[in-house]
Amino acid sequence: MSDISYSPKSARALNIAVCHHCHQLVRGHGRCSRCNTLVHFRKPDSLTRTWAFLIAAIAFFIPANLVPIMNIKMLGQGEPATIMEGVILFIEHGDLPIAIVIFVASVLVPLLKIVALVFLLLSVHFEWARTARRKTILYRIVEFIGRWSMIDIFVVTVLVALVQLDKLASIEVSEGATAFCFVVVLTMVSALCFDTRLIWDIKEESTKGNKR
Amino acid sequence: MNDNDNNTLQQLMVCHHCDLVLQKPPSVPEHHRVFCPQCHHKLLSHKPNSLERTFIWTLTALVFFMPAIFLPLLHLDLFGQSPSSSVMSGILALWQQEFYSVAVVVLVTSVLAPMLQLILLSYVTYSLYFGHKLPGLVRVFKAYLELRHWGMLEIYLIGLLVSVIKLIDMAEVVVGIGLFSFIALLMAQIMAVFSMDAPLFWRLLEQNKATTKELPQ
């Protein structure tokens, strides 16, 4: 038994599946005896689902950055603002740290997240077996920081509720906010559908191949 | 044979990021965490008095929930008027401007998911702590775990700070009592999540299930 635990074999090779809710180990697949979840060796249709949500996210990414997310009206004059314009406004006001926070959270993070997920998916498709650990860490970073892009949506929410002074000053939401919201949610769902164990399966296959 | 196999499985654990099979340590020493040697995923961490602490912090968070959501977070002093904004009024403003999908996403991430998480977690911890057998515990705990990605109170707070900085040039911004409740809610919620020891909870839930099954006989 102790040699099982130190073998570099994957659990699937030993016919052990892990319940994704309670992490109980199950022989073969079926239902988890503890929490009754349907247990799979790998997340079902992981690649197809990840691609589907990711492509949808990419489609929304373009309007999210080009269409204004809010419309600031001061004394009757409208001034629609996209996310980048908001960042530039902060730089002009000398609030560089805030400009960086907004730029990173709203532009860089969604973009890098999409690029990272495309890279991870391609690496599984084309069976790039190297740097499996680094790819897993990349996935964990994507999973962790993805939610932080919601900052801009919350900023719009607060401003819209606060600045409603009829003709003097008012802030209205604009279509870009909807697109932006979808980008964040879709990339989050896409990341949740991805199964990092697929990366390790390729590594296992390739080391097996080398031994032969 | 089957029992033997079950015993073997009981002593193992598997990293769910890279599928590596590992020997389960009997306990995690104080201030220690167990990482997967292959992919560095955090597998276990030491969480003392998990049940008591989770219970207290979820209750604390629930106390602050309503004031944090409904009381004004910020007041503005602009052209002699002083509008204010709460979490709920922001969602209503989005809804009134017919941005329904944005309103729903904000409602879910800043109100519904955190609230449901706290209610579900307090239900489970109450039952486990006092030994009261409540129905559907396993399902409730599973629902709690499903929701963990969608509660975004900490991000809302950062969004709030950014809004203050945006507004500070054009008007005087005054902090409302809602903001203090919001920060208290956030702190308590983070503490509750950090003290929650999922493997322990699953073990207790399993014992709980085993004893309820014996009762009718």
Side-chain angles (χ1 to χ4, degrees):
Chain A
M1 202 200 67
S2 59
D3 44 279
I4 294 178
S5 56
Y6 293 109
S7 79
K9 266 190 175 178
S10 70
R12 183 169 69 173
L14 299 164
N15 197 29
I16 299 171
V18 198
C19 170
H20 85 272
H21 270 126
C22 73
H23 298 175
Q24 163 136 300
L25 306 188
V26 181
R27 265 294 172 206
H29 47 280
R31 286 199 177 269
C32 169
S33 64
R34 185 154 63 181
C35 70
N36 204 33
T37 309
L38 200 55
V39 178
H40 307 275
F41 285 116
R42 299 292 175 262
K43 290 180 190 170
D45 304 323
S46 170
L47 292 179
T48 320
R49 290 184 195 184
T50 313
W51 270 123
F53 287 111
L54 192 59
I55 290 167
I58 294 169
F60 281 112
F61 185 74
I62 301 154
N65 284 284
L66 296 181
V67 178
I69 59 164
M70 57 185 163
N71 207 343
I72 303 167
K73 281 184 185 160
M74 283 292 270
L75 301 166
Q77 283 180 320
E79 189 189 328
T82 62
I83 289 171
M84 266 320 285
E85 281 164 359
V87 173
I88 292 162
L89 204 69
F90 271 127
I91 297 173
E92 280 170 358
H93 282 231
D95 287 319
L96 201 59
I98 302 298
I100 292 169
V101 168
I102 294 290
F103 180 72
V104 170
S106 306
V107 183
L108 221 50
V109 165
L111 184 66
L112 289 181
K113 203 175 153 178
I114 289 170
V115 171
L117 281 170
V118 168
F119 168 71
L120 289 173
L121 283 165
L122 290 178
S123 82
V124 173
H125 275 287
F126 294 110
E127 306 189 351
W128 300 333
R130 283 159 56 185
T131 62
R133 178 187 295 165
R134 264 187 242 163
K135 280 181 216 148
T136 316
I137 292 170
L138 177 68
Y139 172 80
R140 283 201 283 270
I141 296 170
V142 166
E143 199 189 24
F144 177 76
I145 62 173
R147 32 197 278 120
W148 284 94
S149 313
M150 280 295 283
I151 286 184
D152 245 306
I153 295 298
F154 291 140
V155 171
V156 172
T157 312
V158 173
L159 291 182
V160 161
L162 207 49
V163 188
Q164 287 303 339
L165 301 168
D166 297 324
K167 281 168 193 160
L168 291 172
S170 72
I171 293 178
E172 282 161 10
V173 211
S174 183
E175 279 72 20
T178 313
F180 191 82
C181 212
F182 286 154
V183 172
V184 180
V185 173
L186 287 168
T187 48
M188 276 180 73
V189 177
S190 171
L192 287 178
C193 290
F194 186 74
D195 194 334
T196 47
R197 289 170 294 194
L198 297 173
I199 298 169
W200 294 91
D201 289 345
I202 291 163
K203 200 186 165 163
E204 196 179 42
E205 290 279 307
S206 75
T207 45
K208 233 188 267 169
N210 288 343
K211 271 175 197 164
R212 272 182 219 145
Chain B
M1 179 61 204
N2 204 7
D3 277 351
N4 201 2
D5 189 50
N6 263 338
N7 281 336
T8 316
L9 286 186
Q10 291 284 315
Q11 287 163 28
L12 299 175
M13 60 180 186
V14 171
C15 170
H16 58 276
H17 268 183
C18 70
D19 224 23
L20 181 71
V21 183
L22 294 153
Q23 191 101 43
K24 198 190 277 177
S27 66
V28 185
E30 224 169 299
H31 309 302
H32 275 68
R33 287 175 294 178
V34 177
F35 290 92
C36 170
Q38 185 168 264
C39 76
H40 292 189
H41 183 53
K42 190 173 80 189
L43 296 171
L44 299 167
S45 31
H46 176 78
K47 292 181 174 177
N49 305 329
S50 174
L51 204 53
E52 292 87 335
R53 291 178 56 186
T54 312
F55 187 50
I56 292 299
W57 286 118
T58 39
L59 286 189
T60 315
L62 277 173
V63 167
F64 287 108
F65 200 87
M66 288 300 156
I69 297 305
F70 288 101
L71 293 182
L73 299 165
L74 297 174
H75 298 274
L76 209 61
D77 199 349
L78 191 66
F79 304 122
Q81 297 184 49
S82 60
S84 65
S85 138
S86 68
V87 176
M88 223 43 211
S89 72
I91 295 163
L92 283 176
L94 290 174
W95 188 267
Q96 277 158 5
Q97 295 191 15
E98 297 176 359
F99 281 81
Y100 303 119
S101 47
V102 185
V104 168
V105 171
V106 175
L107 181 70
V108 168
T109 54
S110 62
V111 181
L112 289 185
M115 183 174 73
L116 265 177
Q117 267 189 307
L118 290 172
I119 292 172
L120 299 178
L121 192 57
S122 59
Y123 183 83
V124 174
T125 40
Y126 167 80
S127 169
L128 293 177
Y129 186 61
F130 289 103
H132 286 206
K133 302 260 183 294
L134 297 171
L137 283 180
V138 168
R139 223 171 271 177
V140 167
F141 194 55
K142 259 162 74 173
Y144 162 78
L145 291 176
E146 282 288 338
L147 281 171
R148 85 204 122 152
H149 300 284
W150 302 104
M152 300 187 184
L153 292 177
E154 72 280 22
I155 304 167
Y156 197 102
L157 187 67
I158 304 296
L160 207 63
L161 291 179
V162 173
S163 323
V164 170
I165 294 159
K166 261 189 199 275
L167 290 168
I168 218 147
D169 287 338
M170 99 189 199
E172 201 170 324
V173 185
V174 184
V175 168
I177 26 168
L179 188 62
F180 295 107
S181 314
F182 193 90
I183 292 170
L185 162 67
L186 182 61
M187 294 292 197
Q189 188 240 2
I190 289 172
M191 286 309 290
V193 172
F194 268 98
S195 16
M196 206 272 299
D197 183 355
L200 172 80
F201 273 55
W202 281 117
R203 265 202 313 281
L204 293 172
L205 285 171
E206 196 172 29
Q207 285 167 14
N208 193 54
K209 203 167 78 177
T211 49
T212 27
K213 264 183 193 160
E214 279 163 20
L215 277 179
Q217 291 167 359

